Amino acid sequence: MEHQIFNKFIRFIEARLSPGGEFGLHLTAGLALLVAAAAVFGDLAEDVMGKEAITVLDMQVAHWFHAHAFEPLTSFMLAVSLAHTGYGMVVLVAALGWHFWRVQARYWLLALLVSVPSGALLNVALKYHFQRARPAFDEPLVTLMTYSFPSGHTSAATVFYGLLASYLVIARPQWHVRLGTAVGCCLMVLLVALSRVYLGAHYLSDVLAAMAESVAWLAVCITAISTLRRRREATI
């Protein structure tokens, strides 16, 4: 009896770590990423709302960037931020969506159309839940009336570039292309996050929480749609 239970357990573990199958390795990796990212977000939110040490660091970083702002860096950061606002994200999503449509990557197109808009709605809901005020300066570089935690620009960039990196890593067999893609997309997310902190629109913890939030949400979307694809393929 114990031997049978042990064998069933081993088969269960092997199935969860198998690249094939509708509930294989992709689902296991997605759930692990979701749990890890959600835990990071939860810790950050708890520390921010409890006014722990990270809020002191937030103030120090915000004031340092504000005191050291200079041209043409400020204009560059404004351009980066503008490119990832609402209208900018519509253009980016439309361009990537057109590519997915052209190469008939319909499940990736579905993932894009689900993850980015729903991720934006999730971010707005979190902002109104936590209701954290934005950084305040005597002479601000930007002035916004919405809440600060977590960063909407960083969240949108994380979902978009995270999805793009996931697609290219799978679609491109060359290891150097995969590595370059992953590094490039990570750098774009970090650049957007830096622009928001530099401009005084967000605290450091705002952009870190946005990254964690969006990684968790992207893991949900990609895993769900990948599972849907595998289940449909299994029935064919």
Side-chain angles (χ1 to χ4, degrees):
M1 182 65 179
E2 292 181 355
H3 181 68
Q4 292 178 342
I5 294 175
F6 178 75
N7 286 338
K8 288 182 179 180
F9 175 74
I10 293 299
R11 288 197 296 271
F12 176 81
I13 296 299
E14 288 177 346
R16 301 292 75 74
L17 299 179
S18 172
E22 57 183 286
F23 298 115
L25 180 60
H26 76 285
L27 180 59
T28 304
L31 290 175
L33 185 60
L34 168 62
V35 171
V40 171
F41 178 84
D43 287 342
L44 284 169
E46 183 178 1
D47 290 347
V48 167
M49 293 301 103
K51 300 187 183 302
E52 301 293 339
I54 194 169
T55 59
V56 177
L57 178 61
D58 280 341
M59 294 298 296
Q60 292 173 342
V61 171
H63 284 283
W64 187 91
F65 274 111
H66 188 72
H68 292 82
F70 65 94
E71 288 290 356
L73 184 58
T74 299
S75 295
F76 173 72
M77 291 298 184
L78 283 169
V80 170
S81 184
L82 181 62
H84 295 85
T85 192
Y87 293 116
M89 289 307 304
V90 168
V91 173
L92 290 174
V93 169
L96 184 56
W98 176 81
H99 172 75
F100 287 155
W101 178 267
R102 186 173 62 85
V103 300
Q104 297 184 342
R106 55 180 180 176
Y107 285 103
W108 285 105
L109 176 60
L110 179 61
L112 176 69
L113 297 179
V114 169
S115 61
V116 176
S118 59
L121 292 175
L122 173 62
N123 183 266
V124 171
L126 290 171
K127 282 180 181 290
Y128 278 92
H129 174 74
F130 292 105
Q131 297 187 7
R132 186 188 195 187
R134 292 183 183 270
F137 304 99
D138 293 335
E139 297 180 0
L141 296 177
V142 294
T143 302
L144 298 168
M145 303 305 295
T146 52
Y147 296 119
S148 183
F149 183 91
S151 166
H153 284 67
T154 307
S155 174
T158 303
V159 172
F160 178 81
Y161 290 111
L163 181 69
L164 176 60
S166 300
Y167 165 71
L168 290 176
V169 165
I170 293 174
R172 298 294 183 267
Q174 302 89 345
W175 70 267
H176 62 279
V177 175
R178 293 180 173 183
L179 179 61
T181 294
V183 171
C185 288
C186 287
L187 288 177
M188 284 304 303
V189 173
L190 292 175
L191 180 59
V192 174
L194 176 61
S195 73
R196 302 308 287 166
V197 176
Y198 176 93
L199 295 171
H202 287 285
Y203 293 109
L204 175 63
S205 58
D206 294 339
V207 298
L208 294 177
M211 292 180 199
E213 162 216 337
S214 295
V215 166
W217 184 242
L218 190 59
V220 171
C221 294
I222 291 181
T223 301
I225 292 172
S226 178
T227 301
L228 173 64
R229 176 180 63 83
R230 290 169 183 265
R231 292 193 67 176
R232 287 190 173 183
E233 289 177 350
T235 59
I236 297 176

